[in-house]
Structure formats: structure tokens, C-alpha cells
Amino acid sequence: MRAVTLAVCLLLFASAPLSAQDPGAGDPLAGFDAYVSQAVSDWGVPGLAVAVVKDGAVVFAEGYGVRRLGDDEPVDVHTLFANASTTKAFTSMAVAMMVDAGKLSWDDPVSKHVPGFVLYDPYPTREITIRDLLSHRVGFGDPWYLWWGIDLDFSEVIGRLRFVEPQSSFRSAYAYNNVSFATAGIIAGQADGTTWDELVIERILQPLGMEETVTQGLHVQGKDNVAAIHDVIDDTLREISGTGVGLVDPIAPAGSMYSSVMDMTRWLRFLLNEGSVGGQQLVSEEVFEELFRPQTLIPQRNFYPTARLTRPRFTAYGLGWFLQDYRGQFVAFHTGSIDGTVAIVGLLPDHELGVVVFANRDHTELRHALMLRVFDAYLGEPWRDWSSELKELYDGFAAEAAEQEEKFRNEQILDTEPTLPLAEYAGTYTDRLFGSVSVSYGDGALILERSPYLTADLEHWHYDTFLAVYRNRWVGEGTATFVIGSDGKVKALELMGATLIRVPEEESD
């Protein structure tokens, strides 16, 4: 399990509690292996891998725990994890290479490359650029309901963007958007006369020698050394099953890659060497630097909660990278989160220092703690137990969420009945943006289905509101409220923030 470990032997620190350890004046990562082991246990993470690059060399690479709960197959430095949104940096790099080749410009109008790209308002439709797509400033957040858990062709996703009402003025605010980022990746592939996948493989993965990395989850099928994914389901940490590994494939350039920490050290070295590998400059320094220039300022209230502890003076988004200062140093990083797995890639460019962390438990913010711990070690900063501090912070968030859940439960109005017999709620409901869902009746119960992944049993809550209990339990629960018309019949369904109109039976037959 511990195939590559270049950290100093932890025996020097075995007798000291972690909170009292000091990295010492020798190897900055002395004691780091023990620290990670303890943190993995504290956070209840089944499996994790971490690697550190300094001055062009891999100085630490290690796997911890197991790939799957209940099995003894260990995580090692070659175990594949989901990159999730750390994929975005590969996409922005691919775009940068097309800019370098003169095939694209950062400020090309999107309409020049995607004629059907139409937004709610005419002005942003005309003015939106590739730079806007890559910097999360299109005026609305990710329309996740167009890709997460459903199989919708990307051209149809693009076609529905015209119905997304803006949340802010164009370019006035940061709003994280996966669909816009995916669009930029597809444009880059088309500009090269190929696809996003082939562009990333030919221009990045192959030159860097990243032979273990794949561009989409579907390519993980059949591979042995792959981390299973886990989440807390009904108060118990369990493996998530039945999802497949291609949940993000519909918006691949935004988050579909899979890699190992050892392969990612090649990516880190390339980035810390400013776009050069083996003496070959794959992207010009000028274009490379644009990736790390602030494009959109992010208010700290919208930034990562870690900012409450790191207290940066600026927080921004570049082109595929979050940017901030830390202890007076410039930091570029990106996280990745998708059902049951997390990732983080962090850079201290001025110190030629990079970190990558993968873990196979949903939203495990241990990733931030390990990145900051490494940064401190090489900056020579005083010992700080980031794992304990961040766990306390996120435990607090979990407690707040539990309070909100209890409040919701307490607001249920008991001893009410649906207005109509259950069979009369069955039907097809649709919205031009959200799409269609079906509600069926059988064996005295209602079932809601948007896709095989998003299928829920409807349990009566109160009046005409039902609790949607998703059969994939990690999806959780939500409410589905039926709207009764003046004729006494069901006319609409309120679901996931959308109002879907019931399709007349003669049209749905």
C-alpha cells in the first residue's frame, strides 16, 4: 500500500501526540505520513491518496486506507479516483493551447463557435465570450438539473439555456457554472478539428506521460485499481452503488476525468514549470500566465468556508483556478466534488510547490487541511493542526444542517389528507427548461421518475405535498407539491424549484 514514500521516517515522532508535533528543521514533511494517517481515521475516510511535488521532484506520494469499505484492497499511488472539477484546469489548458495556436481567442464570442448558444437576454447572447465561460460570470449558476442524473444530449442542454433566467447582471457576479465550462471545452475540441477528449489526450496527457489518466468515467469500466465511492446513508457510511462512474460524462470538460496521484504529479510538475515538459514549451508563457490572472472577484461569503480560518485578502477565479493569498503567498487551487468522492489540486507557484489529494468519501474537507499542512511545512510556518480546526468547522456546519432538518420535520402538519385520490395525481408533468417527469400510481402508492437515477417513492407529507424519497438513498429527499386547479384537478407539480405543468392525458398517450 505504501509503494512510494519519500518522507522522513515517522519513528522520530511516534511517541508524540500529533497536536504537539513540530515539522523540525530537516525535512519539512517529517511527521506528515503519521499526520495523514491520523487525519484519515479522524474524518472516517475509507481511502485517500496524496502526493507532493517540490522543485520539480516528487517528494511525497502515499496511499491510505482501502478502495472499498469491507474489502482489504488498499489505496495506493496508482489508484484511480474521480478528478471531478479539477478537470476544469485541463480544459482551460486545452483552450489556452488553442489560443496559442491561433485557432481561438479568449475573447471570441461564443456565438462564433456555437450558433445555437442563446441566453435569456439578447445582450449576453451577443457578448458572451470564451473567457466568460471559463470564469463563471455568465449571470447564473450551474443548471445542474440539465445534466446531473439524467441522460440529455449536450446539444439539448445548450438549447435550454435560453430559458434560464439570470440571477445577476452579465459579468457582474461570480456564479459557478459547469455547463458554461463544458461549452468552452467542446469549442476547444472543435477548433482543433477533433473532440475535447482527443484534444486533452493528444496535447496534454500523452506529452506529459499521464498513461493512467482517462478523460471520462466510461473509460474506467473494467479497470481494477479504482476507488469505490462512499457517502453517509441513513446515518451510516456506505458504498454508493448503482451510479456507474460516468455521472459527469454529459458535461465531460467540466469534471469527468479520472486519475491517480502519481499521474497527477506529472501535471503538477508541468504547471509549476510554467507549461514546459522535457524542455518543450507546450504553451507559451504569456498564454499560460493568463490562466492564473484573476478574472472574476469572489466575495468571501461565496468562497470556501476555509477562508474563515485562512483569512485571505483577496479571493478570485482565474481560468480554471480558484485564486487567493495565503500567508502573503499567491495560491492557485481547485477542488473536485461529485457523489461520493473529492479531490483538490493546490499550487504555491512561487515556491514550486504542488499538492494533490484524492479521497473516496463524499465532501471530505480533509483535502483542504492536508493542502494547508503542506503549504505551512514549506513556508516554515508554526505548527497548526488544520485537520482538527477544519473538522470542528465542518462539524459545526453538519450540526446546523441537522437543525434545519429537524425544523423541517417539525413543520409537518399532521393528520391531513391529499385533496384527491392518489391515482388522480399520476401523469406527465413538464417544463420547457426542466424537462419532463412522470408520476405513476400502483399498489396504492405514487412513484416519481425523472430518470432511473432520479426515481423516488412519494410519501404523503401534508395536504398535497409529498416527500420524494429517492431510491438511490444518497440522493436524499425532497418535496413534491401538487397544485390543484379551479376545476378540482391537478394542474401542476412543484419540484426542485421548478413548476411543471401537467400534460393533458390525450397528449401524453
Side-chain angles (χ1 to χ4, degrees), residues 265-279:
T265 62
R266 298 176 182 272
W267 174 238
L268 291 174
R269 283 181 284 173
F270 170 68
L271 293 169
L272 294 169
N273 204 27
E274 298 182 341
S276 176
V277 60

Side-chain angles (χ1 to χ4, degrees), residues 49-51 61-62 76-77 79 259-265 356-358:
V50 56
E62 190 62 274
D76 60 36
V77 296
T79 300
S259 190
S260 67
V261 293
M262 186 51 66
D263 239 20
M264 288 294 286
T265 62
V356 56
V357 180
F358 290 141

Side-chain angles (χ1 to χ4, degrees), residues 9-241:
C9 178
L10 61 86
L11 293 177
L12 293 174
F13 300 91
S15 61
L18 287 179
S19 60
Q21 289 179 8
D22 188 296
D27 184 352
L29 293 181
F32 184 62
D33 180 61
Y35 185 78
V36 179
S37 294
Q38 184 63 55
V40 166
S41 175
D42 291 343
W43 287 74
V45 178
L48 177 145
V50 56
V52 180
V53 167
K54 179 73 170 82
D55 297 328
V58 180
V59 296
F60 188 94
E62 190 62 274
Y64 301 82
V66 294
R67 301 176 212 163
R68 173 178 283 103
L69 273 177
D71 288 350
D72 57 3
E73 294 177 336
V75 169
D76 60 36
V77 296
H78 301 288
T79 300
L80 292 179
F81 290 82
N83 285 74
S85 284
T86 64
T87 300
K88 288 181 171 66
F90 288 87
T91 293
S92 61
M93 181 62 72
V95 174
M97 290 174 170
M98 292 300 94
V99 171
D100 229 12
K103 297 180 180 181
L104 292 176
S105 166
W106 296 118
D107 298 309
D108 274 354
V110 174
S111 60
K112 176 181 177 180
H113 303 280
V114 187
F117 194 89
V118 177
L119 299 180
Y120 193 84
D121 293 326
Y123 173 70
T125 298
R126 184 179 68 248
E127 298 296 328
I128 190 169
T129 66
I130 294 173
R131 186 189 302 273
D132 296 320
L133 296 179
L134 293 172
S135 52
H136 302 300
R137 61 186 194 190
V138 301
F140 55 91
D142 185 46
W144 56 271
Y145 42 83
L146 295 181
W147 63 267
W148 183 73
I150 65 172
D151 185 16
L152 197 63
D153 186 79
F154 193 74
S155 61
E156 177 65 20
V157 173
I158 293 294
R160 294 191 193 180
L161 293 182
R162 70 190 65 201
F163 304 124
V164 180
E165 296 188 29
Q167 299 166 334
S168 69
S169 299
F170 178 51
R171 293 182 182 148
S172 68
Y174 164 84
Y176 196 82
N177 194 309
N178 285 299
V179 170
S180 69
F181 225 97
T183 304
I186 290 171
I187 290 172
Q190 292 174 347
D192 199 42
T194 182
T195 63
W196 169 81
D197 298 78
E198 291 302 317
L199 175 60
V200 169
I201 291 168
E202 293 175 7
R203 296 295 188 104
I204 302 175
L205 301 185
Q206 289 179 349
L208 270 56
M210 298 179 67
E211 297 179 353
E212 295 175 342
T213 304
V214 297
T215 54
Q216 294 198 41
L218 62 91
H219 302 308
V220 174
Q221 303 288 357
K223 294 183 181 292
D224 294 327
N225 194 359
V226 180
I229 56 180
H230 305 83
D231 198 357
V232 175
I233 304 171
D234 299 327
D235 299 323
T236 302
L237 182 64
R238 304 179 186 182
E239 179 184 352
I240 294 176
S241 59

